[in-house]
């Protein structure tokens, strides 16, 4: 028996999202239905609504969620009804060339549910990042469910499902920040602040937060930034260099996804440093850099998908740190809202008023 529940849908490019009745099928082989308890509003949801990811409208938005497994399909063994899970968008296949090389965090053939959720007229929905969790229930591949300690509330735990994991992982996995290194994070939203928190966890000695909003910089300081730069009226590259003995940082993280910001990160880095792009550019964006600068500066330019995380390894680890009081996930939650408030949350995000609005379902 299929379920009819409420969900937040982006019907067409740029149009405000609406609450629709969506049809969630019973789980088929390898699939699970999850009763969503909380789902954070990530900038990527807004990218979807604006047609910045692809044109597969209508989208069922939301992808940063925690909830309870309410039904499983045939052959599912990794989770059972009643399990408390964080949804992930990296259900590794174990068979592709990345998995076979022992690098499942790069899996090229991640699993999603095979069946489609639909509108009541049968129109197939594209779930954001294969999840679609601004909804009372959602259908996913069972591998997208990562069991964690239920002592962590869903408003906090769900954040690991995307933005916070992406940011923390950009610092500790992709950037491989080491104790005593210097780090600059450009863009201090949920993702950037998580990169700051990750750099702090890794033992970075100098963590420079760069943003165009003073409020964001204040929050970044609470997350562990040791210095702040408002790049609206300051040359960010010069400011970062001035804070690092004139050299630049060991690791520069672009958590905005704009060519200008990437360029700042590129030039604000020390020789042989690492640049990490975790912000998502739109398909029309281009970056032009002098080839001699790319060569001459050495080091690495890396992009970070989902913080190069392995959900089965990283979610329970970060939940443990949270429960031990060593990693403050609650600090990311600016407000809790209802499903009907997602459009307003996009506006607040755009206006820089929130770090994370979290939908409580
Ligand atoms: N790579 C991944 O796996 C992954 C995962 C989640 C999100 N993302 C992407 O990360 C980016 C950030 O997401 P978020 O949820 O933190 O967004 P957000 O809107 O909460 O934060 C963006 C921040 O960037 C700041 N900013 C904007 N323009 C700037 C500029 N020119 N210079 C400095 N700062 C500037 C804003 O003031 C804001 O604080 C988005 O592009 C999102 O799509 C990537
Ligand atoms: Zn794989
Ligand atoms: Zn996201």
């Amino acid at each position: 028996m299929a379920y009819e529940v409420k969900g937040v849908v982006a019907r067409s490019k740029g149009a405000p999202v609406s609450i629709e009745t969506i049809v969630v099928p019973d789980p088929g082989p390898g699939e699970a239905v999850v009763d969503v308890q909380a789902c954070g509003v990530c900038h990527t949801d807004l990218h979807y609504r604006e047609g910045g990811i692809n044109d597969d409208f209508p989208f069922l938005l939301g992808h940063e969620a925690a909830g309870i497994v309410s039904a499983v399909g045939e052959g599912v063994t990794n989770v059972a009804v009643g399990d408390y899970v964080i949804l992930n968008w990296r259900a590794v296949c174990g068979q592709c060339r990345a998995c076979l090389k022992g690098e499942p965090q790069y899996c090229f053939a991640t699993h999603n549910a095979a069946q489609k959720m639909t509108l009541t007229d049968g129109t197939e929905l594209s779930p954001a990042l294969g999840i679609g969790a601004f909804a009372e229930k959602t259908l996913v591949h069972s591998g997208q469910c990562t069991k964690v300690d239920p002592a962590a509330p869903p408003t906090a735990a769900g954040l690991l499902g995307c933005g916070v994991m992406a940011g923390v992982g950009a610092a500790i996995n992709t950037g491989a920040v080491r104790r005593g290194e210097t780090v600059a994070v450009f863009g201090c939203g949920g993702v950037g602040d998580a990169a700051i928190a990750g750099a702090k966890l890794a033992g970075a000695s100098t963590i420079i937060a760069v943003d165009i909003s003073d409020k964001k910089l204040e929050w970044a300081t609470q997350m562990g930034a040791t210095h702040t730069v408002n790049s609206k009226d300051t040359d960010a590259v010069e400011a970062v260099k001035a804070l690092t003995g004139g050299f630049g940082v060991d690791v520069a993280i672009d958590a905005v996804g704009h060519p200008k910001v990437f360029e700042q990160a590129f030039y604000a880095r020390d020789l042989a440093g690492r640049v990490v792009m975790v912000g998502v550019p739109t398909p029309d964006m281009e970056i032009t850099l002098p080839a001699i600068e790319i060569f001459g500066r050495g080091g690495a330019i890396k992009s970070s998908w989902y913080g190069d995380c392995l959900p089965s390894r990283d979610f329970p680890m970060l939940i443990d740190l949270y429960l031990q009081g060593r990693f403050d996930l609650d600090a990311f939650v600016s407000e809790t809202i209802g499903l009907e408030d997602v459009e307003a949350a996009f506006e607040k995000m755009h206006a820089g008023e929130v770090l994370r609005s979290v939908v409580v379902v």
Side-chain angles (χ1 to χ4, degrees):
M1 186 200 70
Y3 314 87
E4 290 201 354
V5 298
K6 276 196 298 181
V8 177
V9 173
R11 282 186 169 265
S12 61
K13 190 170 173 157
V17 297
S18 52
I19 301 267
E20 306 286 346
T21 300
I22 62 164
V23 181
V24 180
D26 263 334
E31 293 175 341
V33 169
V34 174
D35 287 357
V36 178
Q37 293 181 307
C39 183
V41 180
C42 173
H43 209 120
T44 303
D45 293 303
L46 186 53
H47 282 319
Y48 270 108
R49 194 202 76 177
E50 289 174 345
I53 308 277
N54 61 50
D55 280 326
D56 300 337
F57 289 93
F59 294 109
L60 174 61
L61 298 181
H63 59 274
E64 197 174 85
I68 306 273
V69 175
S70 62
V72 295
E74 204 187 304
V76 171
T77 54
N78 68 312
V79 282
V81 171
D83 281 348
Y84 178 59
V85 297
I86 299 175
L87 298 181
N88 75 71
W89 46 273
R90 180 165 286 148
V92 300
C93 78
Q95 321 264 321
C96 73
R97 55 202 192 284
C99 285
L100 292 178
K101 269 199 294 192
E103 295 183 329
Q105 72 275 23
Y106 301 132
C107 179
F108 303 140
T110 52
H111 292 307
N112 291 128
Q115 299 182 89
K116 288 283 186 187
M117 292 180 275
T118 64
L119 295 172
T120 46
D121 66 1
T123 307
E124 290 189 351
L125 291 161
S126 306
L129 290 168
I131 292 180
F134 289 149
E136 293 162 321
K137 284 179 186 287
T138 190
L139 174 78
V140 293
H141 188 280
S142 61
Q144 292 180 270
C145 299
T146 308
K147 266 167 74 165
V148 293
D149 190 333
T155 45
L159 300 181
L160 292 179
C162 186
V164 171
M165 186 67 250
V168 172
I172 67 176
N173 294 332
T174 318
V177 172
R178 290 188 298 268
R179 194 165 59 248
E181 284 196 312
T182 55
V183 178
V185 176
F186 296 76
C188 303
V191 175
D193 274 0
I196 287 169
K200 184 181 172 192
L201 271 179
S205 55
T206 300
I207 305 172
I208 305 168
V210 183
D211 203 293
I212 50 176
S213 148
D214 283 331
K215 192 192 276 181
K216 290 300 180 70
L217 292 171
E218 210 180 296
W219 289 337
T221 306
Q222 289 162 23
M223 295 288 178
T226 57
H227 302 78
T228 60
V229 172
N230 188 324
S231 56
K232 203 168 180 180
D233 28 52
T234 312
D235 181 327
V237 176
E238 289 312 315
V240 169
K241 284 191 169 168
L243 290 167
T244 49
F247 299 122
V249 286
D250 297 309
V251 181
I253 300 173
D254 164 12
V256 178
H258 191 280
K260 280 275 162 283
V261 177
F262 181 82
E263 223 173 272
Q264 289 171 0
F266 179 83
Y267 286 111
R269 150 192 79 134
D270 198 359
L271 293 173
R274 289 93 79 193
V275 190
V276 177
M277 180 195 269
V278 60
V280 179
T282 53
D284 56 309
M285 290 176 173
E286 293 193 355
I287 294 168
T288 308
L289 288 167
I292 189 65
E293 294 288 348
I294 297 173
F295 172 73
R297 286 163 184 265
I301 299 176
K302 301 174 97 177
S303 72
S304 184
W305 281 51
Y306 212 174
D308 290 340
C309 79
L310 198 53
S312 56
R313 175 193 67 193
D314 296 331
F315 291 2
M317 178 266 289
L318 290 169
I319 288 292
D320 280 351
L321 292 181
Y322 166 74
L323 291 173
Q324 293 164 12
R326 294 160 71 189
F327 179 52
D328 189 2
L329 281 168
D330 296 318
F332 289 89
V333 183
S334 308
E335 59 168 3
T336 52
I337 59 173
L339 282 172
E340 62 283 359
D341 304 321
V342 168
E343 186 60 38
F346 283 155
E347 275 158 35
K348 287 183 204 163
M349 172 193 278
H350 203 68
E353 291 166 11
V354 290
L355 213 45
R356 271 297 185 266
S357 302
V358 178
V359 172
V360 174
V361 183

